[in-house]
mmCIF file of all heavy atoms in Angstrom:
data_model
loop_
_atom_site.group_PDB
_atom_site.id
_atom_site.type_symbol
_atom_site.label_atom_id
_atom_site.label_comp_id
_atom_site.label_asym_id
_atom_site.label_seq_id
_atom_site.Cartn_x
_atom_site.Cartn_y
_atom_site.Cartn_z
ATOM 1 N N LEU J 22 -17.927 -2.429 -17.257
ATOM 2 C CA LEU J 22 -17.655 -1.106 -16.777
ATOM 3 C C LEU J 22 -16.913 -0.254 -17.780
ATOM 4 O O LEU J 22 -17.107 0.974 -17.853
ATOM 5 C CB LEU J 22 -16.895 -1.161 -15.400
ATOM 6 C CG LEU J 22 -17.598 -1.928 -14.211
ATOM 7 C CD1 LEU J 22 -16.896 -1.613 -12.935
ATOM 8 C CD2 LEU J 22 -19.092 -1.541 -14.167
ATOM 9 N N SER J 23 -15.983 -0.884 -18.514
ATOM 10 C CA SER J 23 -15.280 -0.121 -19.597
ATOM 11 C C SER J 23 -16.254 0.296 -20.668
ATOM 12 O O SER J 23 -16.075 1.404 -21.196
ATOM 13 C CB SER J 23 -14.230 -0.993 -20.154
ATOM 14 O OG SER J 23 -13.166 -1.348 -19.211
ATOM 15 N N HIS J 24 -17.291 -0.491 -20.940
ATOM 16 C CA HIS J 24 -18.239 -0.112 -21.864
ATOM 17 C C HIS J 24 -18.963 1.162 -21.529
ATOM 18 O O HIS J 24 -19.318 2.044 -22.443
ATOM 19 C CB HIS J 24 -19.302 -1.253 -21.995
ATOM 20 C CG HIS J 24 -20.456 -0.944 -22.935
ATOM 21 N ND1 HIS J 24 -20.303 -0.989 -24.259
ATOM 22 C CD2 HIS J 24 -21.735 -0.553 -22.656
ATOM 23 C CE1 HIS J 24 -21.518 -0.693 -24.854
ATOM 24 N NE2 HIS J 24 -22.365 -0.417 -23.876
ATOM 25 N N TYR J 25 -19.038 1.447 -20.227
ATOM 26 C CA TYR J 25 -19.672 2.668 -19.754
ATOM 27 C C TYR J 25 -18.699 3.708 -19.349
ATOM 28 O O TYR J 25 -19.006 4.754 -18.688
ATOM 29 C CB TYR J 25 -20.583 2.396 -18.571
ATOM 30 C CG TYR J 25 -21.828 1.612 -19.016
ATOM 31 C CD1 TYR J 25 -21.870 0.274 -18.855
ATOM 32 C CD2 TYR J 25 -22.944 2.262 -19.497
ATOM 33 C CE1 TYR J 25 -23.027 -0.555 -19.197
ATOM 34 C CE2 TYR J 25 -24.073 1.491 -19.881
ATOM 35 C CZ TYR J 25 -24.098 0.125 -19.691
ATOM 36 O OH TYR J 25 -25.216 -0.548 -20.130
ATOM 37 N N GLY J 26 -17.403 3.591 -19.826
ATOM 38 C CA GLY J 26 -16.421 4.635 -19.651
ATOM 39 C C GLY J 26 -15.592 4.645 -18.424
ATOM 40 O O GLY J 26 -14.729 5.498 -18.240
ATOM 41 N N LEU J 27 -15.720 3.584 -17.624
ATOM 42 C CA LEU J 27 -14.837 3.444 -16.381
ATOM 43 C C LEU J 27 -13.634 2.579 -16.722
ATOM 44 O O LEU J 27 -13.806 1.450 -17.065
ATOM 45 C CB LEU J 27 -15.657 2.886 -15.279
ATOM 46 C CG LEU J 27 -15.167 3.118 -13.795
ATOM 47 C CD1 LEU J 27 -15.057 4.583 -13.473
ATOM 48 C CD2 LEU J 27 -16.065 2.424 -12.842
ATOM 49 N N ASP J 28 -12.442 3.107 -16.613
ATOM 50 C CA ASP J 28 -11.234 2.422 -17.038
ATOM 51 C C ASP J 28 -10.827 1.387 -15.943
ATOM 52 O O ASP J 28 -10.094 1.632 -15.035
ATOM 53 C CB ASP J 28 -10.124 3.416 -17.175
ATOM 54 C CG ASP J 28 -8.823 2.794 -17.746
ATOM 55 O OD1 ASP J 28 -8.940 1.666 -18.372
ATOM 56 O OD2 ASP J 28 -7.807 3.418 -17.632
ATOM 57 N N VAL J 29 -11.392 0.123 -16.173
ATOM 58 C CA VAL J 29 -11.102 -0.972 -15.259
ATOM 59 C C VAL J 29 -10.674 -2.123 -16.106
ATOM 60 O O VAL J 29 -11.291 -2.525 -17.060
ATOM 61 C CB VAL J 29 -12.388 -1.357 -14.481
ATOM 62 C CG1 VAL J 29 -12.088 -2.502 -13.606
ATOM 63 C CG2 VAL J 29 -12.806 -0.156 -13.630
ATOM 64 N N ASN J 30 -9.497 -2.809 -15.764
ATOM 65 C CA ASN J 30 -9.082 -4.018 -16.336
ATOM 66 C C ASN J 30 -9.345 -5.150 -15.429
ATOM 67 O O ASN J 30 -9.887 -5.014 -14.296
ATOM 68 C CB ASN J 30 -7.613 -3.958 -16.814
ATOM 69 C CG ASN J 30 -6.657 -3.706 -15.625
ATOM 70 O OD1 ASN J 30 -6.975 -4.032 -14.496
ATOM 71 N ND2 ASN J 30 -5.523 -3.126 -15.955
ATOM 72 N N GLU J 31 -9.059 -6.376 -15.879
ATOM 73 C CA GLU J 31 -9.363 -7.587 -15.177
ATOM 74 C C GLU J 31 -8.685 -7.582 -13.770
ATOM 75 O O GLU J 31 -9.365 -7.899 -12.785
ATOM 76 C CB GLU J 31 -8.943 -8.827 -15.907
ATOM 77 C CG GLU J 31 -9.253 -10.125 -15.207
ATOM 78 C CD GLU J 31 -8.881 -11.371 -15.983
ATOM 79 O OE1 GLU J 31 -8.087 -11.223 -16.919
ATOM 80 O OE2 GLU J 31 -9.474 -12.416 -15.612
ATOM 81 N N ALA J 32 -7.466 -7.283 -13.700
ATOM 82 C CA ALA J 32 -6.757 -7.307 -12.419
ATOM 83 C C ALA J 32 -7.239 -6.331 -11.478
ATOM 84 O O ALA J 32 -7.478 -6.691 -10.264
ATOM 85 C CB ALA J 32 -5.243 -7.042 -12.609
ATOM 86 N N MET J 33 -7.579 -5.135 -11.840
ATOM 87 C CA MET J 33 -8.154 -4.132 -10.990
ATOM 88 C C MET J 33 -9.550 -4.514 -10.476
ATOM 89 O O MET J 33 -9.912 -4.341 -9.264
ATOM 90 C CB MET J 33 -8.217 -2.805 -11.690
ATOM 91 C CG MET J 33 -8.573 -1.647 -10.799
ATOM 92 S SD MET J 33 -7.431 -1.342 -9.465
ATOM 93 C CE MET J 33 -5.947 -0.842 -10.318
#
Side-chain angles (χ1 to χ4, degrees):
L22 297 193
S23 295
H24 177 75
Y25 290 96
L27 200 58
D28 186 17
V29 178
N30 61 24
E31 180 179 20
M33 190 60 66

